[in-house]
Amino acid sequence: MKKRILLAIVLVLCAIGLAKLCIPKEAPSQSSKPKETQKVKKVSVAEAARPYKDPKDLRSEGTWKLKSETKAYPKITSKKGLVIKVSLKGNRVYIIKNGKRVYTMLSSAGIYHNGKFDTPTGTYYVRYERGDTFFNHKLKEGANYWTSWDKKNVYLFHSVPTKANGKYNLTEAAKLGKTQGSHGCIRLSLPDSKWIMKNIPAGTKVIIKDE
């Protein structure tokens, strides 16, 4: 009799075990799904180097026939509180008035090699010397609307470069705002370089950084 009772108990336990194995597992809930990883936007070296974020109305890089921003140029009446900041790696020139950035320009400065730029860094001041055009026979390159910021008039703000025939070098012009390309001067669009030549007073501080 005892054997029959034990056998019955064993059979019941086996039946319970088989029943548990046959019960289907619940499907994982939506919340248990792995979260999708967000795509991280790649930032270029130039963009990371810029001290200011590009304004929304800044024209596309490579634009050299039009002014860099669609808005009007700032009104300049004095050099007081006026600073021009140049970001060599960022390929930008900033007009700063009373500590506030009021205009951003696409630019292209000296080529980077041997660990430094061909454009010198530091603090300079806009000179009285300026003009409509020049041509360097040694470099076989010229430009329009130049403004000196160097005592020896070696380094200038000027337009994208011109060839010996006076026509603009389209290959070099396309670099504006994208990468460096000059022998040390700071290239700007035609309207931007002309505006600086006509509106920035002598004595205005120019700060050029390797950034």
Side-chain angles (χ1 to χ4, degrees), residues 76-84 124-130 146-151 153 157 195-206:
I76 304 299
T77 57
S78 170
K79 67 179 181 181
K80 185 178 180 181
L82 187 63
V83 178
I84 298 178
Y124 302 86
Y125 294 89
V126 172
R127 309 282 296 174
Y128 285 100
E129 292 83 0
R130 57 193 72 197
W146 62 273
T147 303
S148 175
W149 47 269
D150 169 58
K151 289 182 178 180
N153 293 330
F157 289 113
W195 180 82
I196 284 182
M197 182 192 76
K198 288 184 172 293
N199 293 276
I200 298 299
T204 298
K205 183 184 288 187
V206 178

Side-chain angles (χ1 to χ4, degrees), residues 93 106-107 158-160 176 186-190 192-193 196:
V93 167
L106 301 173
S107 65
H158 61 63
S159 72
V160 293
L176 196 67
I186 300 167
R187 299 171 177 173
L188 302 166
S189 72
L190 306 188
D192 290 351
S193 56
I196 284 182

Side-chain angles (χ1 to χ4, degrees), residues 130-134 143-147 159 168 194 197-198:
R130 57 193 72 197
D132 289 328
T133 188
F134 77 90
N144 295 323
Y145 313 126
W146 62 273
T147 303
S159 72
Y168 290 105
K194 187 175 183 179
M197 182 192 76
K198 288 184 172 293

Side-chain angles (χ1 to χ4, degrees), residues 161-169:
T162 56
K163 300 177 182 179
N165 60 8
K167 294 183 178 181
Y168 290 105
N169 185 325

Side-chain angles (χ1 to χ4, degrees), residues 98-137:
N98 297 323
K100 181 181 179 182
R101 177 188 56 161
V102 293
Y103 205 86
T104 300
M105 297 179 175
L106 301 173
S107 65
S108 182
I111 295 172
Y112 185 84
H113 58 81
N114 297 326
K116 65 178 183 179
F117 289 95
D118 281 348
T119 301
T121 57
T123 300
Y124 302 86
Y125 294 89
V126 172
R127 309 282 296 174
Y128 285 100
E129 292 83 0
R130 57 193 72 197
D132 289 328
T133 188
F134 77 90
F135 187 79
N136 187 316
H137 290 278

